[in-house]
Amino acid sequence: MPLDQVVFWVFAPISVGSAIAMLLQRNAVHAALFLVVNFFTIAVFYLVLGASFLFAVQIIVYAGAIMVLFLFVIMLLGVDREESLLERLKGQRVIGITLGVGLALELIVAIRAGIGFATKAPADFESVTNQGGNAQALSRVLFRDYFFPFEVTSILLIVAAIAVVVLASRQRRSITRAQAAEAEEVAA
């Protein structure tokens, strides 16, 4: 058995397990840590596929910078409160599962109709896609074809981070129970 298949079959269950564990966690910090594990397993998949640049970017950008941002936001908003697992809206779980299954079916049909379930790439795929190396091919696509969406996404991330800081600072300014009780004692 080739080594890349061994690596895949070792890391695939870890990847799927960490993704499922992330979804089932009640604590947001634990969920973020499971997401880090998932990011690392995806990075290993990139390395097995020969995309060393994407391997490095996955670890540096996603497992590093993006997760620090996520944890910053989680800590800023506060994780000390427990969330209720009771449904506030009746039937939201059934609707969510139905929409998830519908999305999965739509993806399967779209992939099948668009490219089919091909087992090998077209004849000139390697020469066209990776001219000059993996990093150059990625940068060519990212900064030529998708430059505007890339910049819009970066602006949206900055605006979201600023919005979280503003919302968290407003929440801190609200009066606490101890301050309210103290104000009532002074008034009485």
Side-chain angles (χ1 to χ4, degrees):
M1 182 180 281
L3 182 61
D4 58 344
Q5 287 185 3
V6 172
V7 171
F8 174 80
W9 287 111
V10 168
F11 281 93
I14 296 171
S15 179
V16 172
S18 65
I20 291 171
M22 178 195 66
L23 293 174
L24 298 178
Q25 286 300 312
R26 291 184 184 178
N27 188 333
V29 175
H30 294 159
L33 292 176
F34 277 116
L35 185 59
V36 169
V37 172
N38 194 281
F39 283 159
F40 275 115
T41 58
I42 290 171
V44 170
F45 295 150
Y46 286 143
L47 189 62
V48 167
L49 291 172
S52 57
F53 178 74
L54 289 178
F55 164 76
V57 167
Q58 178 74 19
I59 290 178
I60 294 168
V61 174
Y62 287 103
I66 298 295
M67 284 315 300
V68 167
L69 178 67
F70 281 2
L71 289 172
F72 173 74
V73 169
I74 289 169
M75 295 299 179
L76 192 62
L77 293 177
V79 293
D80 53 348
R81 60 181 181 272
E82 287 291 324
E83 294 293 328
S84 173
L85 295 179
L86 298 176
E87 293 183 14
R88 293 184 182 157
L89 302 172
K90 299 257 188 237
Q92 72 181 9
R93 186 170 303 182
V94 174
I95 293 171
I97 291 171
T98 305
L99 289 175
V101 169
L103 179 65
L105 290 174
E106 183 179 355
L107 282 171
I108 290 170
V109 169
I111 290 170
R112 181 72 176 133
I115 61 170
F117 291 116
T119 57
K120 64 180 203 175
D124 61 345
F125 181 74
E126 191 69 33
S127 64
V128 173
T129 55
N130 287 330
Q131 291 175 343
N134 209 357
Q136 287 182 358
L138 180 66
S139 64
R140 188 179 316 110
V141 170
L142 186 62
F143 293 115
R144 187 176 297 157
D145 301 336
Y146 295 103
F147 180 73
F148 183 70
F150 180 75
E151 290 301 321
V152 168
T153 303
S154 65
I155 290 170
L156 285 174
L157 286 173
I158 291 170
V159 168
I162 292 170
V164 165
V165 170
V166 168
L167 289 174
S169 66
R170 283 185 187 167
Q171 185 179 8
R172 285 186 186 156
R173 290 186 196 139
S174 64
I175 190 167
T176 63
R177 289 182 187 165
Q179 291 172 336
E182 184 179 307
E184 288 177 9
E185 289 176 8
V186 171

